[in-house]
Amino acid sequence: RIAAASGLPLYMDCPGTIFVAAVGGYLPGIVVGYLSNLTNSVYDPVSVFYCLASVLIALSATVLYRRGFFRKVPGLLLSVLVFAVLGGGLGSLISWAVYGTDISDGTSGPFAVRIYNSGLFPLFTAKLSADFLLDIADKALTVLLVLLLLRVVPYRLESVLQVPLRRGPNPFRDEPSKSMSLRAKITLLISVSILLIAVIGTCITFLLYRQALIEEHTRVGVGVAELAASVIEPDAVDSYLSEGDDAPGYGEIEQRLYRIRESSPDIQYVYVYRILPDGCHVVFDLDTDDLPGGEPGDIIPFDPSFAEYIPALLAGKPIEPIVSDDAYGWLLTAYVPVYNDAGECVCYAAADISMEKLRNNERGKCRCIWASSS
């Protein structure tokens, strides 16, 4: 929390975990790492997703310390690399699962954006590279801090914490027992249990988070599409298609659609299409900063991947919101039919709702009603 409040370009979230794992062993390190993420989730709910990375860092810290990797420079360098792989590598994968292609989020966001803007790497590789490189610096400073703490901590404390449970003499054996000690068995059992809890907890929390996010954006998307549909004059759609800007009231409705789109920063696109067998006929298609919208009467062909929705849309029936997550972002698209007085569907009002804050959004392909990421 101090690192975040001070604006440091580092995480500094593992010194305690690594120190306790080195001094106390597997179980204390795992408990500290796991509870640290749970505590941070009070301030930042997403922190709970990284419990697995913290648990693995605690396990690796115990192994590396007990094998003497903290005593020599090559071992320290290898330790930094291992911690960076778990923190930056695995952490980046978790971030990608949580945030999607929003590489601008998090401490490494500005660095990832600069790597991506260089044109040398795709989004995922840029994010992974930024997280890993930044984590090397973070874990190097972390290891140095842990070394300092290890020199300060009394040796008596470390020796007490590392004392194993003693076994009594075995009357059935003449030779000393080479089997695993009771303490080791208990530690292994509890460590594996907590690791499984971390994995299962991370998966369940992520699924709940994703579902809650989808439900929230569904309400927003449907609400925006319904609001856009309410401003359309059903009987004037034919004149909108044939005359465009020259049609009476076209400009006024277009400005109202712009205001609807600007009512929320999560709204990516708002547009109105008439669905016919030959494709999507543009009625309204609002311009954006990076790409002008289609002209009234333009025909956009159907995307084959959404062929299952064509019969319902041609029949003028409502469809469920569509969620997509690909290289163009994680978006939710809602469609609301516009009916005339005779009950006939004359067009669909649609809204694309951004489910991530992607600052470097690429909108370089043709947008159509079937591809909510276009």
Side-chain angles (χ1 to χ4, degrees):
R1 300 305 305 173
I2 294 174
S6 62
L8 289 176
L10 299 174
Y11 301 100
M12 296 305 296
D13 55 350
C14 292
T17 300
I18 296 176
F19 170 71
V20 173
V23 174
Y26 296 103
L27 185 56
I30 290 175
V31 170
V32 170
Y34 192 78
L35 293 182
S36 294
N37 287 98
L38 291 182
T39 303
N40 279 331
S41 66
V42 175
Y43 306 96
D44 182 12
V46 180
S47 297
V48 73
F49 299 138
Y50 300 90
C51 286
L52 177 59
S54 296
V55 169
L56 292 177
I57 287 176
L59 291 172
S60 61
T62 304
V63 173
L64 293 170
Y65 180 76
R66 290 185 174 182
R67 292 183 177 273
F69 282 84
F70 283 21
R71 299 175 184 173
K72 297 181 180 180
V73 174
L76 289 173
L77 295 178
L78 180 60
S79 300
V80 170
L81 183 62
V82 171
F83 296 146
V85 169
L86 295 175
L90 179 59
S92 182
L93 295 177
I94 296 175
S95 298
W96 189 265
V98 174
Y99 297 108
T101 54
D102 185 8
I103 66 172
S104 62
D105 187 84
T107 304
S108 65
F111 189 24
V113 170
R114 294 177 66 178
I115 294 177
Y116 176 67
N117 287 339
S118 69
L120 300 176
F121 301 99
L123 284 173
F124 176 75
T125 307
K127 176 65 173 175
L128 182 62
S129 301
D131 285 336
F132 179 70
L133 293 175
L134 184 62
D135 221 59
I136 289 180
D138 179 83
K139 295 304 183 290
L141 186 58
T142 295
V143 170
L144 290 177
L145 180 58
V146 171
L147 289 177
L148 177 62
L149 293 174
L150 289 174
R151 287 188 176 275
V152 173
V153 68
Y155 177 76
R156 179 180 299 178
L157 173 61
E158 183 177 353
S159 61
V160 169
L161 292 176
Q162 295 289 352
V163 171
L165 295 176
R166 288 185 171 85
R167 296 168 55 90
N170 190 338
F172 301 100
R173 291 180 181 268
D174 296 330
E175 299 179 357
S177 174
K178 296 181 179 180
S179 61
M180 184 181 297
S181 68
L182 177 60
R183 181 178 186 272
K185 291 179 180 179
I186 295 176
T187 301
L188 178 62
L189 177 62
I190 298 179
S191 299
V192 172
S193 300
I194 295 180
L195 180 60
L196 291 176
I197 291 174
V199 173
I200 296 173
T202 300
C203 294
I204 292 177
T205 306
F206 171 71
L207 293 176
L208 293 176
Y209 172 82
R210 184 185 178 96
Q211 183 61 34
L213 192 62
I214 291 176
E215 291 177 357
E216 177 185 355
H217 282 71
T218 297
R219 291 193 294 269
V220 175
V222 172
V224 170
E226 289 178 346
L227 188 59
S230 67
V231 305
I232 304 298
E233 294 291 342
D235 296 333
V237 171
D238 289 335
S239 63
Y240 295 157
L241 285 169
S242 60
E243 302 177 31
D245 294 336
D246 297 330
Y250 187 93
E252 179 183 353
I253 293 178
E254 187 176 47
Q255 291 303 313
R256 296 176 67 181
L257 292 176
Y258 273 112
R259 288 194 292 270
I260 291 173
R261 191 187 67 182
E262 295 168 359
S263 63
S264 171
D266 292 331
I267 303 174
Q268 291 287 96
Y269 314 115
V270 173
Y271 46 96
V272 179
Y273 290 156
R274 168 174 282 181
I275 310 302
L276 296 175
D278 60 343
C280 308
H281 293 239
V282 175
V283 182
F284 291 93
D285 193 4
L286 306 186
D287 297 336
T288 62
D289 294 335
D290 53 353
L291 188 70
E295 295 296 328
D298 288 351
I299 301 176
I300 301 177
F302 298 133
D303 190 317
S305 62
F306 286 81
E308 60 178 297
Y309 297 100
I310 295 178
L313 290 167
L314 289 175
K317 299 179 180 179
I319 63 173
E320 293 295 324
I322 302 172
V323 177
S324 67
D325 188 5
D326 58 18
Y328 292 89
W330 185 18
L331 298 179
L332 180 144
T333 301
Y335 310 98
V336 172
V338 178
Y339 298 106
N340 58 18
D341 293 337
E344 300 171 338
C345 178
V346 295
C347 62
Y348 280 87
D352 286 348
I353 305 299
S354 173
M355 302 185 70
E356 58 186 347
K357 296 178 180 179
L358 180 59
R359 297 177 184 174
N360 294 284
N361 183 31
E362 295 183 17
R363 195 190 176 195
K365 62 178 182 178
C366 292
R367 193 160 56 82
C368 82
I369 195 171
W370 314 114
S372 60
S373 62
S374 56

